[in-house]
């Protein structure tokens, strides 16, 4: 497993943007598939986006397609989630997750990822 630290959350008005960062503790991070999940109060933790090792492929839940972009820089051991055109329904705690494998499109379950960060709060006001 790898230690993950998220940052970049905050309070933003609807229509605004935020960029979340997920930084890993190990240089082997380049061999990990990385995902972003979110959990709103009283709800389950849901998949948002994922990126394969090497950044060759990405996957998004339909509700964020065209608004969110996941990217990575393995030289910096960092994955970003750029969020634009934010909506109040995007409000949640956002978690970074990683698994040392090649990402298979559709592997969106919480159980598909073994390493998790502590989460960062994103609040979108209307």
């Amino acid at each position: 497993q790898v230690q993950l630290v998220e940052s970049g959350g905050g309070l933003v008005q609807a229509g605004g943007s935020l960029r979340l960062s997920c930084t890993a503790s190990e240089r082997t991070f380049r061999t990990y598939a990385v995902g972003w999940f979110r959990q709103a109060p009283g709800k389950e933790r849901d998949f948002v986006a994922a990126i394969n090792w090497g950044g060759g492929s990405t996957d998004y839940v339909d509700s964020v397609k065209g608004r969110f972009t996941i990217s990575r820089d393995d030289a910096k051991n960092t994955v970003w989630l750029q969020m634009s055109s934010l909506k109040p329904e995007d409000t949640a705690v956002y978690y970074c997750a990683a698994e040392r494998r090649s990402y298979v499109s559709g592997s969106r379950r919480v159980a598909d990822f073994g390493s998790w960060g502590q989460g960062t709060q994103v609040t979108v006001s209307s």
Side-chain angles (χ1 to χ4, degrees), residues 97-110:
E99 184 65 28
R100 194 171 187 179
R101 59 170 172 79
S102 179
Y103 179 75
V104 177
S105 181
S107 297
R108 299 178 171 186
R109 302 176 305 164
V110 169

Side-chain angles (χ1 to χ4, degrees), residues 70-92:
I70 189 170
S71 61
R72 67 190 299 163
D73 184 341
D74 290 328
K76 298 181 179 179
N77 284 359
T78 300
V79 169
W80 294 279
L81 184 68
Q82 178 67 48
M83 306 185 295
S84 302
S85 302
L86 283 162
K87 305 175 181 180
E89 52 263 43
D90 294 318
T91 295

Side-chain angles (χ1 to χ4, degrees), residues 8-124:
L11 173 64
V12 64
Q13 289 187 334
S17 299
L18 283 174
R19 189 176 77 159
L20 305 183
S21 299
C22 172
T23 301
S25 59
E26 298 182 10
R27 298 184 69 177
T28 56
F29 192 52
R30 64 174 60 85
T31 64
Y32 284 72
V34 179
W36 284 96
F37 289 73
R38 63 187 179 186
Q39 187 167 20
K43 296 189 177 181
E44 295 184 348
R45 192 171 297 187
D46 293 329
F47 173 85
V48 175
I51 188 166
N52 200 9
W53 54 268
S57 64
T58 57
D59 188 19
Y60 298 92
V61 68
D62 285 347
S63 61
V64 308
K65 284 182 179 177
R67 300 190 298 123
F68 291 10
T69 302
I70 189 170
S71 61
R72 67 190 299 163
D73 184 341
D74 290 328
K76 298 181 179 179
N77 284 359
T78 300
V79 169
W80 294 279
L81 184 68
Q82 178 67 48
M83 306 185 295
S84 302
S85 302
L86 283 162
K87 305 175 181 180
E89 52 263 43
D90 294 318
T91 295
V93 177
Y94 282 70
Y95 295 90
C96 175
E99 184 65 28
R100 194 171 187 179
R101 59 170 172 79
S102 179
Y103 179 75
V104 177
S105 181
S107 297
R108 299 178 171 186
R109 302 176 305 164
V110 169
D112 290 328
F113 295 85
S115 299
W116 291 83
Q118 81 288 350
T120 185
Q121 177 70 46
V122 172
T123 303
V124 184

